[in-house]
Amino acid sequence: MKNAMGEWAFFASQTFNGLSVASILALVAVGLAMSFGLQRVINMAHGEWLMLGGYMAYLAYQALPLPLYLLAALPLGFGAGALAVLLLELAVIRHLYGRPLETLLATWGVSLILQQAARNTFGPVGVEVAAPTWLAGAIHLGQVSLPWVRLFVIGLAAAALLGLAAFLRHTTLGLQLRAVSQNREMAASLGIHTRGVDAVAFALGGGLAGLAGAALALIAPVTPTVGQSYIVDAFLVVILGGVGSLGGAALAALLLGLTSATLQGLTSVSLAKVILLFLVVLFLQLRPRGLLPSRTRALEEV
C-alpha cells in the first residue's frame, strides 16, 4: 500500500512538473505559430529569444534587490525578445518574405551567432536565478509537493495567453492582425498597413518567448543553448496544434508537456522522446491538419 502511494505521488509530481514545462513551451510555440501563420516565416532563431529573456532575468537578479528583481525581469524579458525579433525582421527577414527555406537558413545562422555571443558574454556554464522569498516553499497535498515557483510560472503563462487572446479579439490592432492572417491581399486593399501588422506579430511572438525565458530562469539554469532545447519541441507543437492556430499551439503544448513528463516517469528521457515523436507522427497520419487547424488563404497557398 505504501509503495502504491509513493508511486502515485511520484506520478502526480511528474505531471505537475510537466504542466509547468508545458506552460513555458506554450508561450514559445504560440509566438512561433504567429510568425509562421501570418508571414510563413520559419524562424530558427526563435529559441534564442527565450535565452535572451533568461539572461535579462539574470541581469535583473544581479542588479536589483532580491524581492524586487522579478518586477523588472519579466518586462525586461518581454521587451528584449520583442526588440530583438524586430531588429531581425528589419535586417534579415524583411528581405526574404515569400522564401521560407531561405529564412530557415538565414535565421539558423543568426541563431548560431547569438549562441556564441551569449557564450562569450556569460560563459558556457549555465547561470542561475534565485526565486524571491515569497515564492519559496510549496503546497503539500499528502506526499505530493507543489512548489510555489512552478505554480507562479503556470499562472504567468495562463495570464499571458489569456491577455493575447483578449488583444486579438477586442482591439483594433488585434482585429487587423487576424484580418491579415486570413487574407493579406484583401486586408491591404482595405487600407491595413500589412507590414506594420507583420512587425507587431513578430514583436508579440518574440516578446512571449522572452517572457518564457524570464520565467524559465526561476526553475532552471539559463545556458547559451537553452533555446535549442525548446525550439524543436515548439515546432512539433505548432505542427500538432495546426499550423497557424494559436489555440491549437497552446493545447498541443499542454498535451505534449504532460505526455512527455508521464513517459519520462515511466521510461528514460531519450526513450520518452522517441515514443512521443512516434505518437505525434501517428496522430498526424490520422489528422494531418492538426488538432485545431487554421483555415486561412495564406496557409492554403503554401
Side-chain angles (χ1 to χ4, degrees):
M1 185 65 179
K2 291 183 178 180
N3 188 37
M5 289 294 293
E7 290 180 358
W8 179 88
F10 175 76
F11 177 78
S13 298
Q14 282 289 106
T15 302
F16 177 71
N17 291 340
L19 184 60
S20 61
V21 173
S23 301
I24 294 173
L25 183 58
L27 291 177
V28 178
V30 164
L32 196 62
M34 290 180 68
S35 64
F36 187 82
L38 189 65
Q39 300 108 337
R40 289 175 285 172
V41 170
I42 303 174
N43 184 6
M44 293 299 294
H46 191 75
E48 273 51 65
W49 316 146
L50 179 141
M51 174 195 73
L52 184 60
Y55 280 124
M56 290 298 104
Y58 173 72
L59 292 177
Y61 172 68
Q62 294 291 317
L64 299 174
L66 187 59
L68 300 178
Y69 84 90
L70 190 59
L71 298 178
L74 298 178
L76 272 176
F78 184 92
L83 179 60
V85 76
L86 282 177
L87 293 176
L88 178 66
E89 196 272 341
L90 287 172
V92 178
I93 295 177
R94 176 165 296 190
H95 308 289
L96 300 174
Y97 280 128
R99 293 179 282 178
L101 292 180
E102 293 184 29
T103 60
L104 185 152
L105 292 174
T107 55
W108 181 56
V110 171
S111 170
L112 296 178
I113 292 172
L114 292 175
Q115 288 179 40
Q116 188 58 48
R119 193 174 288 109
N120 292 341
T121 304
F122 298 97
V125 180
V127 298
E128 296 186 0
V129 172
T133 53
W134 53 276
L135 287 178
I139 298 176
H140 297 282
L141 302 175
Q143 298 183 26
V144 181
S145 178
L146 308 180
W148 279 111
V149 65
R150 288 187 179 270
L151 286 169
F152 174 79
V153 169
I154 294 171
L156 176 67
L161 293 177
L162 289 174
L164 176 64
F167 169 80
L168 293 175
R169 184 172 294 273
H170 299 297
T171 67
T172 301
L173 190 55
L175 292 175
Q176 291 179 351
L177 194 151
R178 291 163 58 195
V180 173
S181 176
Q182 290 291 324
N183 192 322
R184 178 178 293 270
E185 290 76 16
M186 181 62 71
S189 69
L190 294 175
I192 296 176
H193 186 218
T194 58
R195 288 307 181 205
V197 172
D198 289 344
V200 171
F202 266 116
L204 282 174
L208 287 174
L211 181 64
L216 178 65
L218 296 173
I219 59 177
V222 181
T223 67
T225 58
V226 66
Q228 294 299 302
S229 303
Y230 280 84
I231 189 63
V232 175
D233 287 342
F235 273 110
L236 200 61
V237 164
V238 170
I239 296 170
L240 179 63
V243 177
S245 172
L246 304 187
L251 178 59
L254 178 63
L255 292 176
L256 259 67
L258 293 177
T259 304
S260 178
T262 302
L263 290 173
Q264 289 179 23
L266 298 174
T267 63
S268 63
V269 174
S270 57
L271 183 57
K273 289 284 187 183
V274 173
I275 296 174
L276 186 64
L277 182 59
F278 174 78
L279 292 176
V280 170
V281 171
L282 181 62
F283 177 83
L284 291 176
Q285 293 298 314
L286 301 175
R287 194 177 176 87
R289 292 181 65 87
L291 290 168
L292 300 175
S294 178
R295 301 183 182 277
T296 70
R297 184 177 297 273
L299 291 175
E300 289 171 359
E301 292 173 354
V302 174

